[in-house]
Amino acid sequence: NAGVTQTPKFQVLKTGQSMTLQCAQDMNHEYMSWYRQDPGMGLRLIHYSVGAGITDQGEVPNGYNVSRSTTEDFPLRLLSAAPSQTSVYFCASSSGTAGDYTFGSGTRLTVV
Amino acid sequence: GEDVEQSLFLSVREGDSSVINCTYTDSSSTYLYWYKQEPGAGLQLLTYIFSNMDMKQDQRLTVLLNKKDKHLSLRIADTQTGDSAIYFCAETFDTGFQKLVFGTGTRLLVSP
């Protein structure tokens, strides 16, 4: 099983550019989410989805869009990249059962 | 409100026990987790404890929960150099989607 797959692993963007971080899971999990990790701040929730067609905002949603057209995929879109969005982004999926939370390996994004 | 705090750094010698501490403010959490992150990698679930439990042991890992003081600890017995990593505590709440609220992370350095 692949689990949660994120692409790309690394990306450098110029300020104002847009891009999509991809996330796919093959565990048929209902719940998917995006977190960002910044030094000294742990991981913070950006957006999440409780099923295909249903998304909601997390703690730090500004500057990001998401959609969930299928159970498997949950892309994160940066509309107009800013240096403050330089971070490591993690996608996760879960079944809702305690402990059943799987993280991808992360995308390291630098905005210059 | 949700706030999870950890000390930033811990250094131990190989073979010693390590104790990583975490305090949280929201008493309505349902599960508390410990994750391990090795350099450049995603998050690996180590163990978790239900909020009505006081202790959980899993091989070299012992989790202690003091609900009165809102204090969670992770003890690693016979610490090895391969245990060097960042350790995050996290809590979830009974709100349908199991949003993880993370601490800031503790960097554990194990020296030979």
Side-chain angles (χ1 to χ4, degrees):
Chain A
N1 275 345
V4 177
T5 303
Q6 288 184 239
T7 56
K9 291 190 183 304
F10 302 94
Q11 183 71 48
V12 178
L13 288 179
K14 293 184 179 178
T15 296
Q17 285 184 316
S18 63
M19 80 159 293
T20 299
L21 308 186
Q22 301 292 344
C23 176
Q25 54 98 2
D26 61 359
M27 296 169 284
N28 203 33
H29 284 168
E30 282 190 73
Y31 303 109
M32 296 187 74
S33 49
W34 279 100
Y35 292 82
R36 60 177 286 173
Q37 182 180 19
D38 301 295
M41 300 187 75
L43 280 76
R44 293 178 293 168
L45 181 65
I46 305 171
H47 284 286
Y48 66 96
S49 168
V50 299
I54 307 169
T55 64
D56 205 347
Q57 296 181 350
E59 187 183 353
V60 287
N62 292 341
Y64 307 95
N65 272 359
V66 291
S67 60
R68 183 104 178 266
S69 56
T70 67
T71 300
E72 294 78 20
D73 299 298
F74 191 44
L76 178 72
R77 297 183 186 84
L78 280 71
L79 308 172
S80 177
S84 61
Q85 294 178 304
T86 294
S87 188
V88 181
Y89 292 85
F90 288 98
C91 178
S93 76
S94 63
S95 65
T97 303
D100 189 17
Y101 223 106
T102 304
F103 282 85
S105 56
T107 295
R108 185 174 295 273
L109 176 69
T110 302
V111 183
V112 299
Chain B
E2 307 154 352
D3 194 13
V4 182
E5 295 189 356
Q6 301 178 238
S7 53
L8 290 180
F9 189 74
L10 177 65
S11 179
V12 300
R13 290 199 177 275
E14 192 173 24
D16 289 348
S17 292
S18 308
V19 179
I20 302 171
N21 294 303
C22 172
T23 57
Y24 58 98
T25 57
D26 196 326
S27 58
S28 64
S29 56
T30 51
Y31 288 93
L32 294 124
Y33 296 81
W34 284 104
Y35 283 89
K36 176 184 180 182
Q37 185 182 36
E38 298 186 39
L43 278 76
Q44 173 195 353
L45 176 65
L46 289 177
T47 186
Y48 65 95
I49 188 169
F50 188 44
S51 59
N52 70 353
M53 295 172 62
D54 297 324
M55 186 184 88
K56 181 178 181 181
Q57 187 151 2
D58 186 359
Q59 299 183 0
R60 292 191 298 125
L61 306 179
T62 303
V63 177
L64 293 177
L65 175 59
N66 182 329
K67 282 178 293 184
K68 176 175 170 289
D69 294 338
K70 298 189 183 70
H71 182 265
L72 180 75
S73 67
L74 174 70
R75 178 178 181 271
I76 306 173
D78 187 25
T79 313
Q80 303 297 306
T81 55
D83 295 323
S84 293
I86 301 176
Y87 290 81
F88 291 96
C89 64
E91 57 180 347
T92 57
F93 307 90
D94 188 17
T95 58
F97 168 65
Q98 296 275 295
K99 179 180 82 165
L100 282 165
V101 177
F102 285 88
T104 50
T106 299
R107 184 178 296 275
L108 174 65
L109 178 64
V110 183
S111 53

